[in-house]
Amino acid sequence: MTDVFTTRIIDVPTGSEETVVDLTGDCEAFLREVSGGRDGLLNVFTPHATAGLAVIETGSGSDDDLLSALRELLPQDDRWRHRHGHPGHGRDHVLPALVPPHATLPVIGGRLELGTWQSVCLVDTNVDNPNRTVRLSFLGG
């Protein structure tokens, strides 16, 4: 069987507030279209220095808890050396060290293999950039 590699960029509006955006539906739709029912890997990547990807539970408060925890770990104040953008923006540039800009996930039979409560989410604390892009790439065989 021939290996298949397909990639696509999606636009994700994030607005002007810190946010966690659930991308699971986008990932599933992409895999339905390109996987052909194959097993493989889905790589999700955001090419931004101030955003990351997390696999977490959403809708029960965990997404808000994540943002609260990030505010405690990375306060929005004047301690940061990176100083362009809104006050405290330097902390947004530290975010990808804690919430990486990539995730690689198993695909079984063309379907994303997540746990019952897991979702693929874009985490964006940068209120200066209301639009993001995410690259979805499927490698299957």
Side-chain angles (χ1 to χ4, degrees), residues 12-29:
V12 181
T14 55
S16 59
E17 294 183 15
E18 297 175 342
T19 190
V20 175
V21 179
D22 190 338
L23 303 175
T24 309
D26 297 293
C27 294
E28 291 170 339

Side-chain angles (χ1 to χ4, degrees), residues 124-138:
D124 187 2
T125 59
N126 182 357
V127 300
D128 293 336
N129 190 346
N131 297 296
R132 299 300 186 151
T133 59
V134 174
R135 179 177 293 277
L136 305 176
S137 300
F138 174 69

Side-chain angles (χ1 to χ4, degrees), residues 32 46 78 95 99 105 119 125 135:
R32 278 192 302 275
T46 188
D78 64 356
L95 172 78
V99 182
L105 306 162
S119 296
T125 59
R135 179 177 293 277

Side-chain angles (χ1 to χ4, degrees), residues 38-80:
R38 295 176 178 90
D39 292 350
L41 296 172
L42 174 68
N43 182 264
V44 186
F45 175 74
T46 188
H48 301 285
T50 59
L53 293 157
V55 178
I56 63 169
E57 179 180 6
T58 61
S60 64
S62 297
D63 36 354
D64 291 330
D65 289 341
L66 173 59
L67 291 174
S68 293
L70 290 171
R71 282 184 211 109
E72 288 182 34
L73 289 169
L74 304 171
Q76 189 174 346
D77 57 24
D78 64 356
R79 75 183 67 203
W80 308 101

Side-chain angles (χ1 to χ4, degrees), residues 98-115:
L98 301 174
V99 182
H102 57 86
T104 301
L105 306 162
V107 176
I108 307 297
R111 297 183 55 134
L112 195 55
E113 189 74 9
L114 292 173

